[in-house]
């Protein structure tokens, strides 16, 4: 493919392109958060520039009657195109074809699912912001790197297999030993899997964002996660030598309190065995404060992840 990167693109265009690439999908709010800005409209202008250059594609999300006035636009998602992936690879000195882009465009999301995806993308952006603001450390060769680095970030909507042929499934899904009522293996699909380097240690993190989830359903999810941790399902899938951490992020503080109380009351058997690896936080605290100070364990101790 011929070179496509336009030299007249500014550093801000390139920063926006990189951020969309790392998030797979992005909203202007998520890009702004990742890049340390509170002005999403400022970054929306750069994203729209990249759309006009065919480096990004968009998907507009419209309200249905249940949201109020039908047909009202409630959000926009951005993702790389093939042209954008090639432009980014060229700009950062990577081989052609090495940058992922969704070949079928942005996967469908209904107005009912959009608020979750938008909040999830901003949560993922907070990890990119953590990387950007972490202390720099010197390497033996004289180079510098961030002390906290996001090595890999895979969202629930990235698929493997052909969706068109009905063979697509989330890339981060793992199979549990239990069978569903139809006799098929049950799968566990978290919201994201991340590999995070924290100085010299690499942590495997499984993340769940709970927006409107009933506490009873959250408890059922955590029960499945403890089983996956016991069996090492995510560790095996990502060839990681130690058990993964589980980050449980909640939009509603009161529901988080209910979940913690139910766990303390023993609704997940032997949950204490896994308590060092399960951490809780509210979405607002993660976005407003910082990730290292927002999470805590079941016994209310501050996290031991960082």
């Amino acid at each position: 493919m011929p070179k496509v990167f336009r030299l007249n693109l500014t550093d801000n265009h390139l920063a926006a392109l990189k951020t969309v690439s790392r998030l797979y999908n992005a909203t202007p709010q998520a890009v702004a958060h990742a890049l340390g800005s509170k002005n999403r409209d400022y970054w929306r202008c750069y994203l729209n520039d990249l759309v006009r250059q065919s480096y990004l594609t968009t998907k507009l999300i419209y309200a249905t009657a249940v949201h109020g006035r039908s047909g009202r636009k409630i959000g926009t998602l951005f993702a790389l195109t093939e042209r954008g992936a090639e432009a980014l690879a060229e700009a950062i000195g990577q081989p052609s074809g090495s940058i992922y882009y969704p070949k079928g465009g942005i996967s469908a999301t209904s107005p009912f699912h959009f608020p979750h995806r938008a909040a999830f993308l901003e949560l993922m952006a907070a990890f990119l912001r953590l990387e950007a603001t972490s202390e720099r450390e010197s390497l033996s060769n004289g180079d510098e790197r961030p002390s906290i680095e996001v090595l890999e970030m895979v969202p629930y909507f990235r698929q493997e297999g052909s969706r068109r042929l009905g063979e697509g499934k989330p890339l981060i899904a793992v199979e549990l030993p239990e069978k569903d009522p139809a006799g098929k293996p049950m799968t566990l699909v978290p919201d994201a899997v991340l590999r995070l380097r924290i100085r010299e240690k690499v942590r495997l993190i499984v993340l769940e964002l709970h927006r409107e989830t009933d506490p009873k359903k959250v408890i059922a999810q955590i029960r499945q996660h403890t089983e996956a941790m016991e069996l090492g399902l995510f560790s095996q899938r990502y060839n990681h030598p130690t058990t993964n951490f589980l980050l449980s992020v909640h939009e509603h503080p009161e529901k988080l309190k209910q979940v913690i109380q139910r766990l303390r009351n023993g609704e997940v058997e032997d949950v204490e065995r896994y308590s060092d690896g399960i951490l809780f936080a509210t979405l607002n605290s993660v976005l407003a404060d910082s990730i290292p100070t927002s999470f805590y364990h079941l016994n209310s101790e501050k996290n031991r992840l960082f």
Side-chain angles (χ1 to χ4, degrees):
M1 188 173 187
K3 289 190 174 184
V4 294
F5 188 64
R6 290 286 299 274
L7 295 178
N8 62 339
L9 290 185
T10 66
D11 289 344
N12 280 352
H13 287 103
L14 184 56
L17 200 63
K18 286 179 179 177
T19 303
V20 174
S21 173
R22 297 186 75 183
L23 292 173
Y24 296 94
N25 289 178
T27 61
Q29 181 66 30
V31 172
H33 192 102
L35 297 173
S37 170
K38 294 183 179 180
N39 190 343
R40 64 183 178 184
D41 290 333
Y42 175 83
W43 287 101
R44 189 193 305 274
C45 292
Y46 288 100
L47 293 169
N48 287 336
D49 283 349
L50 294 166
V51 172
R52 284 189 286 271
Q53 293 288 338
S54 299
Y55 296 149
L56 296 180
T57 185
T58 62
K59 187 175 183 67
L60 304 180
I61 310 299
Y62 294 95
T64 59
V66 80
H67 291 83
R69 183 165 55 87
S70 180
R72 177 176 55 87
K73 190 178 84 169
I74 60 174
T76 307
L77 293 170
F78 295 81
L80 284 185
T81 61
E82 181 181 12
R83 177 179 169 86
E86 290 299 305
L88 181 57
E90 181 185 329
I92 63 177
Q94 294 294 317
S96 174
S98 62
I99 304 292
Y100 171 83
Y101 70 96
K103 292 182 173 59
I106 298 170
S107 60
T109 181
S110 78
F112 304 103
H113 299 158
F114 177 77
H116 177 88
R117 188 174 295 196
F120 165 77
L121 291 170
E122 194 168 0
L123 177 57
M124 291 297 94
F127 282 89
L128 299 184
R129 188 63 192 155
L130 173 65
E131 175 187 273
T133 56
S134 66
E135 294 180 358
R136 308 294 294 181
E137 57 184 25
S138 298
L139 302 177
S140 58
N141 63 2
D143 291 341
E144 288 189 340
R145 68 178 184 179
S147 57
I148 299 176
E149 182 179 8
V150 180
L151 302 176
E152 187 172 11
M153 175 187 291
V154 188
Y156 64 93
F157 49 81
R158 181 166 177 188
Q159 300 272 314
E160 62 179 350
S162 173
R163 188 184 298 111
R164 183 174 58 85
L165 298 176
E167 299 170 351
K169 66 177 183 178
L171 186 62
I172 57 177
V174 295
E175 285 192 0
L176 298 169
E178 291 85 359
K179 306 290 184 182
D180 65 17
K184 297 180 180 179
M186 294 183 66
T187 59
L188 175 59
V189 184
D191 279 316
V193 173
L194 301 92
R195 287 196 309 118
L196 203 65
R197 181 185 57 76
I198 305 171
R199 298 172 185 86
E200 299 304 320
K201 294 182 179 180
V202 175
R203 306 290 201 188
L204 182 64
I205 296 171
V206 176
L207 184 141
E208 294 281 11
L209 171 61
H210 309 289
R211 292 192 65 255
E212 302 296 338
T213 314
D214 180 88
K216 183 178 180 180
K217 293 182 179 178
V218 176
I219 293 295
Q221 276 187 324
I222 292 176
R223 185 177 294 112
Q224 288 185 321
H225 277 288
T226 59
E227 184 174 11
M229 293 167 79
E230 179 69 26
L231 297 173
L233 299 182
F234 287 105
S235 299
Q236 293 169 27
R237 184 168 181 81
Y238 287 88
N239 195 28
H240 192 75
T242 57
T243 303
N244 67 273
F245 284 80
L246 170 64
L247 303 188
S248 178
V249 182
H250 296 249
E251 186 164 301
H252 302 289
E254 285 304 314
K255 287 187 178 180
L256 172 55
K257 290 179 183 177
Q258 293 175 38
V259 167
I260 287 178
Q261 189 57 56
R262 294 175 76 151
L263 289 172
R264 289 174 177 170
N265 290 343
E267 291 197 25
V268 174
E269 187 177 357
D270 293 332
V271 70
E272 294 81 6
R273 290 187 57 205
Y274 312 96
S275 58
D276 281 354
I278 303 177
L279 299 102
F280 304 90
T282 63
L283 180 61
N284 280 343
S285 68
V286 171
L287 298 181
D289 301 323
S290 74
I291 290 173
T293 60
S294 296
F295 284 94
Y296 54 90
H297 294 272
L298 186 61
N299 61 4
S300 299
E301 290 183 5
K302 286 296 182 181
N303 83 80
R304 292 183 287 277
L305 173 59
F306 296 89

